């Protein structure tokens, strides 16, 4: 009997898998609901465990009855002899040699028989002279060859079935091994100090990916174990040290003094236009650089008017482009300015076609930067999809908006660990130009660990 275990989402799915793998004779022995995966009692998923079995003896095909030997008539024998005369090893070579040694052919006017036909006739007479011996020998050879082919086919079929069963068994053992490793890891986490568990749960509540929460817990626990009694270190300091090691390289340097063109890309509604106005005011007033605007956002209603309003307030020029061919004209017209901010249209950048389209508007060069703008109010799964699309084109700078509209900041850890982004600025309001500041890892750590940030 063959017994197999299935872990599926629901019972109909298990029934379909059992019928396809074990056949219609299989029976279900047991079903129960289980929970797999998760971390610290969270993120586990409900599954159904189904045990099925089938009796392999009932699946074997019945043995085929041997075919009865039929007597061979003389006419059939003669026809078989004529077909096999030349190729059969039983043909007397002397008869063929003597036939070929005679006069090769008669005159063209007389009808003659070919040497091959004469050799076949002589061979046939030789075989007919001893029909029993040679016919039985031929029949035995044919039966032996047929039996050998049948044995090889059966062995190949059995070997294939054995390989499939072995592969299925190895796959099941591998999944059980992975499950045991996860359970062992969870058991290890449960044995960690309560203070480490506290900060791990805090990061999980903040939306940090479970894989990174596990890494965080292991790192904090290692720091706590390596700390000597003389150098007593609180769990908060250990957690802060781990997060700081993750974020210290993620701090960007802002807009470089040598940069001349800055492109802003991102999905709809993240606040690109308002952010451009904030940065333009900051560069104009604080760094005394002459600034100009270029916009390709001609899809959104009143988008050009919004940026023109900011341009009028800041007293900076604005150029509108509708295609990549018009960019050269805009760059030449604004050639005397120190810094150009280019606004692109917000689109559904989960679609790679739109990403490729906006990438065609970006002018590559050593004096250009491209900044991806994302909103903290979006789901991490959506932010991850958009970030992956632009990361393929080499975009590695990030600007995060709407910090004041959320209390969950774990997505920043996920983005930094997943894509190695550099974060230059964050925005926390709509006031121009005040509600923008450089990214500060220390401030983010205080928000993640529940400490009140400095406003």
């Amino acid at each position: 009997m063959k017994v197999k275990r299935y872990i599926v989402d629901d019972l109909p799915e298990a029934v379909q898998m059992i019928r396809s793998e074990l056949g219609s004779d299989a029976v279900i022995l047991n079903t129960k609901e289980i929970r797999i995966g998760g971390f610290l009692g969270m993120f586990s998923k409900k599954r159904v465990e189904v045990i099925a079995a089938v009796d392999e003896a009932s699946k074997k095909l019945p043995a085929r009855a041997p075919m009865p030997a039929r007597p061979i008539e003389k006419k059939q024998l003669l026809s078989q002899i004529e077909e096999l005369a030349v190729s059969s090893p039983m043909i007397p070579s002397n008869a063929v040699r003597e036939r070929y040694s005679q006069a090769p052919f008669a005159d063209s006017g007389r009808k003659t028989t070919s040497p091959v036909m004469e050799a076949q006739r002589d061979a046939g007479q030789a075989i007919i002279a001893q029909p029993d011996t040679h016919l039985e020998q031929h029949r035995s050879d044919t039966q032996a060859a047929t039996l050998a082919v049948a044995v090889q086919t059966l062995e190949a079929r059995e070997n294939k079935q054995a390989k499939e069963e072995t592969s299925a068994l190895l796959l099941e053992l591998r999944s059980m091994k992975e499950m045991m490793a996860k359970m062992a890891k969870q058991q290890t986490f449960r044995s960690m100090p309560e203070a480490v568990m506290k900060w791990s749960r805090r990061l999980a509540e903040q939306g940090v990916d479970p894989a990174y929460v596990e890494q965080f817990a292991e790192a904090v626990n290692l720091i706590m174990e390596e700390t000597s009694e003389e150098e007593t270190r609180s769990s908060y300091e250990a957690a802060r040290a781990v997060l700081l090691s993750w974020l210290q390289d993620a701090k960007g340097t802002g807009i470089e003094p040598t940069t001349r063109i800055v492109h802003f890309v991102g999905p709809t509604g993240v606040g690109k236009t308002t952010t451009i106005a904030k940065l333009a005011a900051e560069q104009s007033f604080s760094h005394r650089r002459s600034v100009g605007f270029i916009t390709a956002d001609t899809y959104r209603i009143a988008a050009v008017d919004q940026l023109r309003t900011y341009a009028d307030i800041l007293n900076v020029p604005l150029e509108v482009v509708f295609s990549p061919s018009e960019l050269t004209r805009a760059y030449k017209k604004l050639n005397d300015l120190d810094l150009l901010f280019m606004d692109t249209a917000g689109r559904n950048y989960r679609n790679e076609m739109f990403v490729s389209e906006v990438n065609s508007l970006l002018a590559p060069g050593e004096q250009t930067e491209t900044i991806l703008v994302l909103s903290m109010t979006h789901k991490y799964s959506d932010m991850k999809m958009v970030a992956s699309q632009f990361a393929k084109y080499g975009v590695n700078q990030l600007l995060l908006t709407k910090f004041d509209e959320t209390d969950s900041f774990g997505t920043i850890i996920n983005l930094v660990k997943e894509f190695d982004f550099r974060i230059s600025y964050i925005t926390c309001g709509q006031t121009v130009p005040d509600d923008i500041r450089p990214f500060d890892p220390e401030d983010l750590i205080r928000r993640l660990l529940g400490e009140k940030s400095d406003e």
Side-chain angles (χ1 to χ4, degrees):
M1 176 175 289
K2 182 178 179 180
V3 180
K4 194 164 183 180
R5 173 172 171 263
Y6 298 87
I7 297 179
V8 294
D9 293 330
D10 51 28
L11 191 57
E13 180 183 354
V15 172
Q16 185 177 1
M17 295 175 64
I18 292 170
R19 286 181 177 176
S20 62
E21 296 182 10
L22 302 182
S24 58
D25 295 333
V27 295
I28 296 177
L29 302 179
N30 184 37
T31 61
K32 67 177 181 179
E33 289 187 357
I34 60 174
R35 288 187 174 272
I36 60 174
F39 175 72
L40 303 176
M42 297 177 289
F43 313 112
S44 61
K45 298 180 179 180
K46 185 184 293 184
R47 293 289 188 269
V48 179
E49 181 189 69
V50 180
I51 307 297
V54 64
D55 187 2
E56 293 186 338
S58 63
K59 298 176 63 178
K60 293 182 178 179
L61 298 175
R64 296 178 61 181
M67 297 181 62
R70 293 181 295 177
I72 300 178
E73 298 179 359
K74 188 173 183 179
K75 291 183 179 181
Q76 296 177 347
L77 176 62
L78 290 175
S79 62
Q80 293 177 4
I81 290 172
E82 290 178 357
E83 293 175 359
L84 301 174
V86 175
S87 60
S88 175
M90 305 306 297
I91 297 176
S93 59
N94 294 333
V96 178
R97 188 178 299 110
E98 290 176 0
R99 183 61 60 186
Y100 272 87
S101 64
Q102 295 175 1
F105 294 99
D107 295 336
S108 59
R110 187 177 58 184
K111 189 175 182 180
T112 60
T113 306
S114 68
V116 176
M117 294 179 62
E118 294 292 340
Q120 291 179 352
R121 186 178 63 184
D122 293 341
Q125 291 177 356
I127 295 176
I128 293 173
Q130 297 176 350
D132 296 335
T133 303
H134 299 300
L135 184 58
E136 290 297 330
Q137 179 69 30
H138 178 68
R139 182 184 299 170
S140 299
D141 293 343
T142 304
Q143 291 179 350
T146 304
L147 181 60
V149 172
V151 170
Q152 292 177 359
T153 303
L154 182 60
E155 289 178 350
R157 187 180 302 168
E158 291 179 350
N159 291 337
K160 181 179 179 181
Q161 184 177 0
K163 289 180 180 179
E164 291 177 353
E165 292 178 354
T166 302
S167 300
L169 181 60
L170 290 175
L171 184 61
E172 189 171 352
L173 289 175
R174 191 178 295 111
S175 63
M176 293 178 64
K177 182 179 179 180
E178 293 175 356
M179 186 182 301
M180 294 293 293
K182 290 181 180 179
M183 294 175 63
K185 186 176 290 187
Q186 291 178 1
Q187 187 65 29
T188 302
F189 288 140
R190 294 190 183 96
S191 63
M192 288 183 179
E194 178 59 30
V196 178
M197 300 294 292
K198 168 189 172 182
W199 300 120
S200 300
R201 282 192 291 267
R202 171 67 185 179
L203 289 190
E205 293 170 356
Q206 283 287 304
V208 178
D209 189 87
Y212 301 138
V213 174
E214 293 180 9
Q215 295 179 18
F216 169 81
E218 291 175 353
V220 173
N221 188 55
L222 183 62
I223 293 176
M224 299 287 289
E225 291 178 350
E226 292 178 349
T227 303
S228 61
E229 295 182 359
E230 293 78 10
E231 300 176 353
T232 304
R233 200 169 189 178
S234 67
S235 60
Y236 175 82
E237 292 176 345
R240 175 185 169 279
V242 172
L243 292 177
L244 187 60
S245 67
W246 289 0
L247 295 171
Q248 61 185 357
D249 293 334
K251 183 177 181 180
T253 57
I255 299 176
E256 297 290 342
T258 57
T259 299
R260 185 170 182 275
I261 302 174
V262 183
H263 309 104
F264 291 84
V265 297
T268 60
V270 296
K272 293 189 298 298
T273 305
T274 305
T275 300
I276 288 175
K278 295 175 181 177
L279 286 175
E282 186 257 349
Q283 290 290 316
S284 179
F285 300 150
S286 301
H287 299 277
R288 300 299 179 180
R289 302 180 70 180
S290 57
V291 177
F293 292 158
I294 300 176
T295 180
D297 188 3
T298 56
Y299 293 94
R300 185 167 56 93
I301 298 176
V304 176
D305 294 336
Q306 181 184 5
L307 192 59
R308 180 173 285 113
T309 300
Y310 288 130
D312 294 340
I313 294 174
L314 298 173
N315 194 25
V316 299
L318 168 66
E319 291 293 323
V320 181
V321 297
F322 295 89
S323 65
S325 61
E326 297 182 8
L327 281 173
T328 304
R329 173 189 57 79
Y331 291 147
K332 289 182 178 180
K333 197 169 183 179
L334 303 175
N335 190 40
D336 58 332
L337 300 177
D338 298 328
L339 185 61
L340 302 179
F341 290 103
M342 180 174 176
D343 188 13
T344 60
R347 305 290 294 275
N348 176 20
Y349 290 123
R350 295 167 59 92
N351 188 330
E352 188 172 359
M353 180 185 70
F354 294 145
V355 180
S356 177
E357 180 181 318
V358 74
N359 187 66
S360 65
L361 294 170
L362 310 183
E366 296 180 356
Q367 293 183 311
T368 64
E369 296 181 12
T370 301
I371 300 177
L372 174 61
V373 183
L374 295 177
S375 171
M376 291 297 296
T377 58
H378 287 177
K379 295 185 299 183
Y380 172 63
S381 59
D382 296 332
M383 298 170 71
K384 179 180 178 181
M385 178 62 71
V386 174
S388 65
Q389 295 282 42
F390 281 100
K392 291 187 292 187
Y393 291 94
V395 178
N396 63 353
Q397 294 197 57
L398 189 63
L399 191 151
L400 298 170
T401 64
K402 304 183 181 181
F403 254 63
D404 57 322
E405 298 182 23
T406 182
D407 291 324
S408 179
F409 305 96
T411 53
I412 302 178
I413 298 293
N414 299 337
L415 290 170
V416 170
K417 296 284 285 183
E418 182 76 19
F419 301 102
D420 195 26
F421 277 124
R422 300 294 181 269
I423 307 173
S424 299
Y425 299 95
I426 64 171
T427 67
C428 49
Q430 295 180 324
T431 304
V432 178
D434 297 331
D435 293 337
I436 189 169
R437 66 184 66 171
F439 172 68
D440 182 9
E442 293 281 1
D443 176 68
L444 177 61
I445 292 173
R446 288 191 292 269
R447 293 173 185 264
L448 287 170
L449 297 180
E451 295 292 323
K452 186 176 181 180
S453 61
D454 296 334
E455 295 292 339

